[in-house]
């Protein structure tokens, strides 16, 4: 019940928003997202007490085909459910800051609609339910990123984004359909096949290595585009840069995690032999992504674009951690998914605050902003240092575990991947120096500090940065059983 | 049987309304008739031989059969006509002369469609196709003062007549080889041929029948009439053509292949596979290069014929098997979405006088409901989840993969990626491009049309979210 409420309540709120106008719409949207957060926290408490059993929801959906509407929450899902429900209120609040949005009610409704899609993805326990929500999440973000963007190139950019991700997911669907046709009937079902996750796990690993080899790429295509991994990333920098701030936060903060989550839940245990065959190639691509993203980030002049490339680089490390197939690497990926979600939303929040005040994102036009903005400077610095992986912050725990995993896989890979920390220190600190410190610019006198409302948005993010940095055990403990069962399935 | 009788009788009664000075009575009358017939048709569900008992007489029963298959496809056809009718309002408002005849022709064409989905005898198939087609030839030319409409009617008529000739020739050859018109006797005769020397005659006959019906459902390489005819025909009747004609055509096609010709699959299967590949390719690529929304929809209807042909490739076994289920679901989802798309396009083009993408620009601002309906229709036609079109494709693809045609499905998936490209273009125009200055007044939509669009949107969503209740009914 709780699972169904979590997934469908945002959708219901989104539909209700149709009837609300002006500030009523804001209150309704924000209220709904807070209620959702409260329910998620409640679910976490229930989970801590009684484990995953009570969260299973298994309804008949297409009985003739053996497809069930199966949702469930385990520790891994719970981490991402919490991330989503924490970030959505902040993303909505960012949207409130933008008075210029036309038809804002529709904007909030789409954000909530997207939340339903995301939570569906993170809780789906049936392959077709997973695919269904995967696409449901794409529709709202496409409209959010395109209709409310002010860029001249928005049509081409979002079109490319849509085509890329949709084509990627069609490959995944093809892979799922093939696997589905190999499954046997579920217990007590009249249908010849079943698309339940357990059926996929048992069927997938029995397939011949050669079959798993190409199935791996079919399924991985969707995840590779979504994360994105080099060389499937070309949609990402443009889309991140030109989308309105809340859409960018949704894309980078949560939607990107769909890809990593997908690898953990629907790739590694489903085609374990395929994974071991391609492990090295993916590792190489991931490490190329780390270096490539970082080097390009150094050369950027636009704050948002710099963060976009930085995100590309950090995602590379997460993929490398996942494909190290070591417990420590996978656990690191879980923590880093959370930490990166918090960090990148915080960074884009800073970028948005600066852009709204100065009207520019161009680093060369900025400088000396810190004089009048002590609060902004501190918030910026915390988010930045967590992204750079300074000890005590969430980014440090995540990246440390990830690097340890990669190091276990291969020492040299670990060494090269470790450059990410140095590189990100270079480009992020340089940006901070040129934007906040440095010689005064035209904006340094007119710049205003964070308002109370904005500060309230940063406080939970900063709290989470330190929570993840100081007590990562909370989340590691949650995800541990799932991670170890995944590794057992892969044969580690 | 009752639907056929009633539609014919009411169609004739409707002709007499032409004597009235006012056209006002026509639309309500047609709606009531269709709603009545739709309901009566559903009463025959699970009553093989029809509740009226008219089918118990062996004479009728050998010509037509009423079973769940025919009821289901008649249901789609009648429902499509019913939800399409509200968009004919502008003809009534313009007090078009001869309007009564158009409505009568629509009713008559439905008689043909229902005969096509319930035939049990090749002559009934032929008669059904002719009733449907001849009504359509007239309706294609119904915009008498427009050269394009005249051209459409002429092209449609010439090529349709040609196709009918081929079909009839095919039927004659098959009869010559087997000595029967009955579907089940045909199957038996093909399975155990009495005279082996007539085999080649049978095969040629089968091939000609496949080509003849292929013409009617606009399968490539016999599709070339489609874009011109669809573009020239008044939008309202284009919608009718691309839904009712296609649904009835494919239902008839599938029945022919499943019931009568399973023994001749060595001939028709490779033909259908080749037609399917060509149709998918030409339909999708053709649609991608269009600048007119109406012409894009015409090519898109060709491409959907390709997906339905794909369903025929899986056509083995019973009339209640996975192939029939998939084609039923696909036709329903396709018809609902197409009616919505053409409905919006008609409303827009009536007022803005243009049928290209630019004519749709700015619609999200002036008419959010129209833009939303059109978007949903495009997503459904493109096969994106949350809409009925996704499950239509899903069921068809799954049925075909289960038959082992993986490469064909891969090709179809690639083609549906092309589909996304052109289905997004109207959406982009509506939501992201400003309307032409001076041509940006809100489109006038009456309450009845809005209600119909909402109903269609809901149907699309229900098919896309809860497909279970219709996916296994046959």
């Amino acid at each position: 019940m709780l699972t169904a409420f979590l997934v469908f309540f945002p959708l219901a709120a989104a539909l209700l928003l149709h009837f609300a106008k002006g500030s009523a719409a804001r209150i309704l949207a924000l209220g709904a997202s807070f209620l959702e957060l409260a329910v998620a926290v409640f679910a976490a408490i229930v989970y801590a007490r009684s484990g995953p059993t009570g969260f299973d929801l298994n309804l008949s959906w297409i009985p003739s085909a053996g497809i069930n509407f199966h949702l469930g929450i385990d520790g891994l899902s719970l981490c991402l459910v919490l991330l989503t429900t924490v970030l959505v209120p902040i993303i909505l609040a960012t949207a409130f800051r933008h008075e210029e949005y036309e038809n804002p009610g529709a904007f909030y409704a789409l954000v909530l609609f997207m939340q339903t899609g995301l939570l569906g993805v993170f809780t789906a326990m049936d392959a077709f339910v997973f695919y269904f929500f995967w696409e449901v999440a794409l529709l709202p973000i496409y409209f959010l990123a395109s209709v409310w963007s002010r860029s001249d190139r928005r049509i081409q950019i979002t079109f490319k984004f849509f085509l890329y991700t949709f084509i990627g997911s069609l490959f995944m669907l093809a892979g799922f359909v093939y696997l589905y046709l190999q499954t046997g009937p579920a217990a007590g079902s009249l249908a010849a096949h079943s698309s339940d996750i357990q059926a996929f796990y048992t069927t997938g690993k029995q397939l011949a290595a050669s079959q798993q080899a190409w199935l791996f790429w079919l399924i991985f295509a969707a995840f590779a585009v979504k994360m994105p991994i080099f060389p499937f990333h070309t949609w990402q920098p443009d889309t991140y840069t030109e989308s309105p701030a809340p859409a960018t936060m949704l894309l980078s903060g949560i939607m990107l995690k769909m890809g990593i989550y997908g690898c953990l839940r629907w790739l590694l245990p489903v085609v374990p032999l395929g994974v071991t065959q391609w492990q090295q190639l993916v590792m190489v691509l991931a490490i190329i992504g780390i270096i490539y993203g970082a080097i390009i980030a150094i050369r950027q002049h636009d704050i948002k674009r710099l963060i976009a490339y930085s995100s590309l680089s950090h995602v590379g490390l997460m993929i490398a951690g996942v494909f190290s197939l070591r417990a420590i690497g996978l656990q690191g990926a879980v923590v880093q998914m959370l930490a990166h979600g918090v960090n990148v939303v915080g960074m884009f929040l800073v970028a948005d605050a600066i852009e709204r005040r100065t009207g520019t994102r161009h680093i060369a036009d900025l400088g000396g902003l810190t004089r009048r903005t002590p609060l902004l400077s501190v918030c910026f610095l915390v988010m930045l240092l967590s992204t750079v992986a300074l000890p005590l912050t969430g980014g440090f725990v995540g990246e440390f575990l990830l690097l340890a995993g990669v190091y276990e896989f291969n020492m040299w890979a670990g060494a090269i991947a470790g450059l990410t920390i140095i590189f990100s220190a270079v480009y992020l600190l340089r940006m901070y120096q040129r934007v906040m410190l440095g010689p005064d610019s035209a904006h340094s006198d007119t710049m205003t500090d964070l308002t109370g409302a904005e500060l309230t948005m940063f406080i939970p993010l900063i709290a989470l940065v330190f929570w993840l940095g100081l007590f990562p055990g909370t989340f590691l403990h949650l995800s541990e059983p799932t991670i170890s069962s995944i590794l057992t399935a892969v044969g580690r | 049987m009752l639907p056929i009788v009633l539609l014919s009788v009411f169609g004739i009664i409707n002709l007499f309304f032409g004597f009235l000075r006012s056209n006002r009575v026509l639309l309500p009358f047609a709606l009531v008739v269709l709603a009545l017939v739709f309901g009566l048709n559903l009463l025959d569900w699970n009553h093989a031989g029809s509740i009226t008992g008219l089918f118990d007489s062996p004479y009728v029963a050998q010509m037509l059969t009423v079973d769940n298959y025919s009821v289901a496809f008649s249901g789609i056809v009648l429902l499509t006509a019913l939800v399409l009718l509200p968009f004919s309002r502008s003809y009534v408002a313009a007090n078009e002369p001869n309007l009564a005849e158009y409505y009568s022709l629509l009713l008559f064409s439905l008689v043909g469609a229902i005969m096509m989905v319930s035939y049990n005898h090749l002559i009934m198939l032929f008669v059904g196709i002719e009733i449907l087609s001849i009504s359509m030839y007239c309706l294609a030319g119904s915009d008498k003062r427009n050269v394009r409409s005249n051209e459409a009617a002429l092209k449609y008529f010439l090529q349709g007549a040609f196709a009918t000739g081929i079909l009839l020739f095919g039927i004659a050859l098959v009869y010559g080889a087997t000595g029967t018109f009955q579907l089940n006797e045909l199957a038996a005769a093909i399975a155990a041929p009495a005279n082996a020397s007539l085999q080649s005659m049978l095969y040629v006959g089968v091939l000609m029948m496949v080509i003849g019906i292929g013409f009617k459902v606009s399968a490539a390489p016999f599709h070339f009439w489609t874009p011109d005819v669809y573009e020239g025909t008044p939008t309202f009747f284009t919608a009718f053509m691309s839904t009712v004609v296609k649904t009835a055509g494919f239902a008839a096609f599938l029945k022919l292949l499943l019931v009568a010709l399973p023994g001749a699959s060595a001939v028709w299967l490779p033909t259908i596979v080749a037609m399917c590949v060509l149709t998918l390719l030409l339909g999708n690529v053709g649609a991608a290069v269009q600048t007119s929304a109406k012409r894009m929809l015409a090519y898109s209807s060709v491409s959907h014929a390709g997906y339905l042909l794909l369903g025929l490739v899986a056509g083995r076994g019973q009339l209640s098997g996975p192939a029939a289920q998939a084609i039923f679901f696909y036709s329903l989802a396709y018809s609902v979405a197409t009616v919505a798309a053409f409905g919006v396009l008609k409303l827009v083009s009536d007022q803005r006088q243009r049928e290209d993408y630019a004519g749709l620009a700015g619609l999200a601002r002036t008419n959010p409901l129209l833009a939303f309906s059109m978007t949903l229709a495009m997503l459904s036609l493109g096969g994106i989840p949350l809409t009925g079109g996704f499950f239509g494709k899903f069921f068809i693809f799954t049925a075909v993969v289960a038959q082992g045609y993986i490469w064909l499905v891969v090709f179809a998936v690639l083609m549906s990626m092309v589909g996304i490209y052109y289905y997004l273009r109207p959406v982009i125009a509506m939501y992201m491009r400003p309307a032409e200055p001076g041509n940006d007044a809100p489109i006038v939509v009456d309450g009845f049309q809005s209600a119909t669009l909402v109903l269609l949107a809901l149907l699309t969503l229900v098919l896309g979210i809860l497909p279970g209740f219709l996916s296994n009914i046959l």
Side-chain angles (χ1 to χ4, degrees):
Chain A
M1 253 343 273
L2 213 51
T3 319
F5 181 88
L6 272 173
V7 172
F8 290 110
F9 175 70
L11 180 65
L15 294 178
L16 273 181
L17 268 173
H18 185 67
F19 303 102
K21 291 264 176 297
S23 61
R26 289 181 181 199
I27 294 167
L28 179 62
L30 198 62
S33 67
F34 272 122
L35 181 59
E36 177 81 1
L37 173 60
V39 174
V41 171
F42 176 68
I45 295 168
V46 174
Y47 183 88
R49 290 220 179 126
S50 56
T53 43
F55 293 100
D56 222 43
L57 177 81
N58 203 344
L59 304 172
S60 174
W61 193 23
I62 310 174
S64 58
I67 299 174
N68 280 4
F69 193 82
H70 188 182
L71 300 180
I73 293 183
D74 63 2
L76 178 61
S77 302
L78 189 60
C79 288
L80 288 149
V81 168
L82 286 172
L83 176 75
T84 310
T85 46
V86 166
L87 291 182
V88 166
I90 295 172
I91 290 167
L92 278 171
T94 313
F96 297 163
R97 308 270 101 211
H98 287 267
E99 303 282 348
E100 79 277 9
Y101 286 168
E102 208 176 301
N103 201 354
F107 192 97
Y108 312 147
L110 284 172
V111 173
L112 289 172
F113 181 35
M114 170 106 187
Q115 192 178 15
T116 286
L118 292 164
L119 292 175
V121 165
F122 294 140
T123 55
M125 294 293 159
D126 180 288
F128 293 122
V129 177
F130 176 76
Y131 174 78
F132 186 78
F133 280 115
W134 182 272
E135 296 295 20
V136 165
L138 173 63
L139 292 176
I141 194 68
Y142 170 71
F143 284 99
L144 285 174
S146 57
V147 175
W148 281 273
S149 164
R150 278 176 301 169
S151 161
D152 306 333
R153 295 188 302 137
R154 60 185 182 154
I155 291 177
Q156 297 91 306
I157 288 172
T158 50
F159 197 58
K160 183 174 175 184
F161 160 62
F162 191 94
L163 274 188
Y164 249 89
T165 47
F166 189 74
I167 289 173
S169 15
L170 276 180
F171 282 113
M172 173 173 82
L173 179 64
F176 280 175
V177 168
Y178 183 84
L179 268 164
Y180 162 75
L181 291 169
Q182 314 298 317
T183 57
S189 160
L190 293 174
H193 305 292
S194 159
S195 55
D196 197 77
I197 191 165
Q198 294 307 331
F200 266 49
Y201 283 2
T202 45
T203 310
K205 66 173 171 239
Q206 284 161 5
L207 294 176
S210 55
Q211 276 174 310
Q212 293 196 25
W214 57 263
L215 268 174
F216 171 85
W217 282 106
L218 284 183
I219 302 176
F220 188 58
F223 305 149
V225 171
K226 209 73 143 201
M227 290 191 281
I229 183 172
F230 179 89
F232 304 102
H233 68 281
T234 54
W235 62 269
Q236 186 251 27
D238 278 341
T239 313
Y240 279 19
T241 315
E242 306 295 351
S243 299
T248 312
M249 292 176 180
L250 278 170
L251 278 166
S252 59
I254 317 177
M255 197 161 169
L256 177 167
K257 276 71 188 183
M258 282 165 58
I260 302 195
Y261 173 85
C263 283
L264 290 173
R265 175 87 68 196
W266 292 99
L267 188 67
L268 266 48
V270 172
V271 284
L273 291 178
V275 172
T276 39
Q277 282 178 71
W278 297 110
Q279 182 187 14
Q280 296 198 336
L281 177 60
V282 176
M283 210 65 168
V284 169
L285 290 179
I287 290 173
I288 292 177
I290 294 174
I291 305 296
Y292 172 87
I295 289 178
I296 294 186
I298 294 175
R299 302 282 306 153
Q300 291 311 308
H301 306 292
D302 180 312
I303 302 180
K304 268 178 108 176
R305 221 177 165 76
L306 191 150
I307 304 172
Y309 278 107
S310 138
S311 173
L312 184 62
S313 169
H314 284 99
V315 169
L317 185 56
M318 287 189 241
I319 301 164
V322 169
F323 278 84
S324 71
L325 302 182
R326 302 295 193 278
I328 195 164
L330 266 66
Q331 285 283 33
V334 174
V335 176
Q336 181 66 1
M337 271 199 267
L338 306 179
H340 179 266
V342 172
N343 293 341
V344 82
V345 166
M347 291 297 276
F348 279 121
L349 200 53
V350 169
D352 186 50
I354 293 177
E355 191 191 356
R356 263 185 302 112
R357 285 171 170 77
T358 62
T360 178
R361 300 190 301 253
H362 209 64
I363 295 174
D365 296 344
L366 299 164
L369 297 186
T370 194
R371 266 199 298 139
R372 290 179 182 272
T373 59
L375 290 174
L376 178 66
S377 311
V378 171
C379 293
F380 193 175
L381 198 61
V382 172
M383 289 303 154
L384 186 147
L385 291 177
S386 180
T387 312
V388 178
L390 196 78
L392 296 185
T393 63
F396 171 73
V397 179
E399 303 225 321
F400 181 79
L401 294 176
L402 285 168
L403 284 172
V406 179
Y407 186 83
E408 268 188 43
F409 166 75
N410 179 306
M411 191 181 74
W412 290 106
I416 300 173
L419 291 175
T420 175
I421 295 183
I422 300 168
F423 275 127
S424 61
V426 171
Y427 55 76
L428 286 174
L429 289 173
R430 239 165 58 110
M431 172 173 80
Y432 190 81
Q433 182 201 355
R434 288 163 66 193
V435 171
M436 302 306 287
L437 313 169
D440 285 1
S441 66
H443 302 288
S444 45
D445 286 327
T446 52
M447 187 72 186
T448 50
D449 205 357
L450 292 180
T451 61
E454 282 172 319
L455 190 62
T456 2
M457 289 153 68
F458 273 108
I459 287 172
L461 293 176
I462 294 175
L464 281 170
V465 162
F466 287 113
W467 188 355
L468 283 163
L470 295 170
F471 312 107
T474 332
F475 300 98
L476 291 173
H477 194 67
L478 275 178
S479 60
E480 203 276 323
T482 316
I483 297 297
S484 62
S485 73
I486 290 171
L487 285 171
T488 323
V490 191
R492 294 269 169 193
Chain B
M1 190 66 186
L2 213 49
I4 295 182
V5 174
L6 282 181
L7 282 172
S8 310
V9 171
F10 283 122
I12 293 169
I13 293 176
N14 194 65
L15 277 177
F16 288 95
F17 289 133
F19 293 123
L20 298 178
R21 213 161 271 253
S22 161
N23 283 332
R24 277 165 179 281
V25 68
L26 291 171
L27 179 57
F29 180 75
L31 280 171
V32 169
V33 168
L34 277 177
L36 179 73
V37 173
F38 179 71
L40 285 172
N41 174 56
L42 291 189
L43 284 182
D44 278 340
W45 186 253
N46 280 340
H47 280 86
S50 134
I51 47 162
T52 49
L54 282 165
F55 273 72
D56 295 345
S57 86
Y59 182 68
V60 179
Q62 280 167 22
M63 305 300 276
L64 293 169
T65 40
V66 172
D67 49 13
N68 283 356
Y69 182 83
S70 75
V71 173
F73 280 98
S74 308
I76 300 185
V77 166
L78 291 168
L79 179 71
T80 312
L82 190 60
V83 290
L84 193 55
L85 273 180
F87 298 102
S88 67
R89 253 289 180 59
S90 62
Y91 298 123
V92 181
N95 214 1
E96 186 95 6
N98 309 331
L99 196 58
E101 283 85 338
Y102 299 160
Y103 281 105
S104 289
L105 282 171
L106 273 188
L107 296 180
F108 291 146
S109 71
L110 288 172
V111 174
I114 293 177
M115 285 169 78
M116 281 166 75
V117 303
S118 41
Y119 74 100
N120 190 37
H121 191 279
L122 293 182
I123 295 303
M124 292 315 279
L125 169 67
F126 176 73
V127 172
I129 288 185
E130 280 308 275
I131 296 178
L132 179 61
S133 302
I134 290 173
S135 314
M136 283 295 122
Y137 302 148
C138 304
L139 293 174
S142 60
D143 191 358
K144 290 187 290 287
R145 282 164 297 274
N146 185 339
V147 183
R148 303 298 297 271
S149 178
N150 284 304
E151 179 198 333
L154 189 64
K155 271 193 179 162
Y156 196 20
F157 173 66
L158 285 179
Q159 305 198 353
F162 185 58
T164 312
I166 292 179
L167 173 69
L168 199 57
F169 197 7
I171 292 177
L173 288 178
V174 169
Y175 179 75
T178 59
T180 178
F181 287 121
Q182 300 288 357
L183 294 190
N184 27 12
E185 288 175 20
L186 250 175
I190 293 173
N195 186 347
S197 64
L198 294 176
Q199 253 346 50
S200 48
M201 186 159 129
L202 170 75
Y203 286 164
V204 172
V206 168
L207 207 57
M208 291 181 95
M209 285 177 75
V210 168
I211 291 173
I213 303 180
F215 253 110
K216 296 289 173 190
V217 297
S218 63
F222 316 112
H223 70 289
F224 36 78
W225 56 273
T226 316
D228 290 344
V229 171
Y230 277 24
E231 196 185 15
T233 304
T235 309
F236 177 72
F237 298 115
T238 315
F240 196 81
M241 271 181 205
S242 61
T243 50
V244 171
V245 178
K246 196 146 277 177
T247 307
F250 270 100
F253 213 158
L254 183 68
K255 195 171 191 181
L256 181 71
L257 300 180
L258 279 184
V259 181
L261 303 176
S265 65
V267 183
W268 60 257
L269 195 56
T271 318
I272 300 260
V273 169
M275 276 162 68
C276 172
V277 170
L278 266 180
T279 311
L280 284 172
L281 183 71
L282 296 176
N284 280 299
V285 173
V289 298
Q290 301 306 321
T291 52
S292 151
K294 193 172 174 187
R295 224 176 150 79
M296 180 277 275
L297 282 173
Y299 272 102
S300 120
S301 118
V302 174
S303 81
H304 286 281
Y307 297 114
L308 285 161
L309 282 169
L310 196 63
L312 296 184
V313 172
R316 314 270 155 90
Q318 305 285 313
L319 276 184
S320 58
Q325 298 282 5
I327 287 192
F328 166 72
F329 196 93
Y330 196 99
S331 307
L332 181 59
Y334 166 75
S335 298
V336 168
T338 307
V339 168
F342 273 114
V344 172
L345 188 66
K346 171 164 169 52
L347 293 173
V348 172
S349 62
D350 276 353
Q351 184 168 328
R352 291 190 178 168
Q353 302 300 331
R354 49 192 306 177
E355 288 167 343
D356 53 358
Y357 295 129
L360 291 167
L363 204 60
R365 193 158 307 175
T366 56
N367 297 68
L369 175 68
L370 292 190
F372 178 72
S373 306
M374 186 74 161
T375 305
L376 212 53
M378 289 297 120
L379 295 180
S380 185
L381 291 174
I384 292 175
L386 213 65
T387 60
F390 166 69
F391 278 107
K393 282 206 175 70
F394 178 76
F395 291 139
I396 285 197
F397 289 178
T398 317
V400 177
V401 171
Q403 296 285 348
Y405 284 91
I406 295 174
W407 64 272
L408 197 55
V409 172
V410 170
F411 180 72
V413 168
L414 288 175
M415 284 298 123
S416 47
M417 294 174 186
V418 179
I420 299 301
Y421 169 75
Y422 57 80
Y423 288 127
L424 269 187
R425 292 179 65 181
V427 178
I428 289 174
M430 290 186 298
Y431 282 89
M432 285 165 238
R433 296 197 198 279
E436 252 185 338
N439 206 0
D440 51 0
I443 310 293
V444 180
V445 187
D446 66 42
F448 199 43
Q449 289 162 342
S450 304
T452 311
L453 285 174
V454 170
L455 175 75
L456 290 169
L458 281 178
L459 260 174
T460 302
L461 287 173
V462 167
L463 288 174
I465 295 169
L466 299 168
F469 80 106
L470 275 179
S471 66
N472 199 27
I473 60 161
L474 288 181

